[in-house]
Amino acid sequence: MQPGSTNGTSGGGIAVPMAWLCAEYTADEMLRTAALVEPDSLEFRAGRQALALTIHLCDGADPFSGASPAAQVDEWLTVTSYGHPWPQWVQGRLADRTARERHGGEDPDLALASDAWRLLRDTELLATDLTGLEPWHPSRPADVPPDEAAQVWMPAWELGLPLGHLAIHLW
């Protein structure tokens, strides 16, 4: 009988993606605590996946990584901040992990992280156009209020990433 779980280091056991599951749990708790959107909404799912992907790729779900919790949170805030090239960062980190898997061994978390990125990238959500809502945005005329009813189709990560960033701040 095979063991019910293993971190992939024992010979022939079932490889359980513990790092991904920890990252997803942490992201879920952050978003539920922040109470920014309903937990059963598509926005919540996009935020949870974007935040879990960020946490996982920062290696922040590993309590034995040696980094202090404050340093981990600072890194998550930096990576999810406005203007950071998050999609390119994700693709680069996933490519690095894929290369290590080819040379090292099976990474049970890589498949789930890659699937999360594919879904965030390929799924589009109809949401409020966020580009003109900031009062300091240079493209917004000062005397014209933003139209919050204007909606656009956007990749799920574009909605989930700001939700994740706000959830980290409120955590």
Side-chain angles (χ1 to χ4, degrees), residues 28-124:
D28 191 80
E29 286 298 310
M30 286 179 156
L31 282 165
R32 286 180 190 278
T33 301
L36 297 168
V37 292
E38 292 295 321
D40 58 348
S41 67
L42 291 174
E43 293 86 355
F44 183 90
R45 291 176 62 190
R48 182 182 61 215
Q49 293 300 90
L51 191 50
L53 198 52
T54 300
I55 292 168
H56 178 67
L57 294 176
C58 284
D59 297 325
D62 181 5
F64 305 108
S65 67
S68 71
Q72 290 177 336
V73 170
D74 285 345
E75 184 179 11
W76 301 342
L77 284 170
T78 300
V79 170
T80 60
S81 65
Y82 180 77
H84 185 275
W86 190 80
Q88 294 83 1
W89 177 82
V90 168
Q91 291 172 344
R93 291 284 178 115
L94 288 174
D96 290 346
R97 298 252 172 127
T98 301
R100 276 190 294 198
E101 183 181 55
R102 283 189 205 125
H103 297 294
E106 181 183 346
D107 180 359
D109 304 290
L110 182 60
L112 291 174
S114 296
D115 284 347
W117 172 237
R118 183 184 48 76
L119 287 170
L120 285 168
R121 186 191 61 220
D122 296 345
T123 302
E124 290 193 344

Side-chain angles (χ1 to χ4, degrees), residues 157-170:
W157 72 264
E158 285 187 22
L159 184 61
L161 191 61
L163 283 172
H165 184 77
L166 286 172
I168 295 168
H169 270 292
L170 295 172

Side-chain angles (χ1 to χ4, degrees), residues 118-156:
R118 183 184 48 76
L119 287 170
L120 285 168
R121 186 191 61 220
D122 296 345
T123 302
E124 290 193 344
L125 300 175
L126 185 61
T128 300
D129 186 5
L130 301 175
T131 57
L133 292 182
E134 303 98 15
W136 59 87
H137 197 278
S139 68
R140 185 176 161 255
D143 58 341
V144 178
D147 181 9
E148 293 184 26
Q151 295 188 326
V152 295
W153 287 99
M154 64 177 64

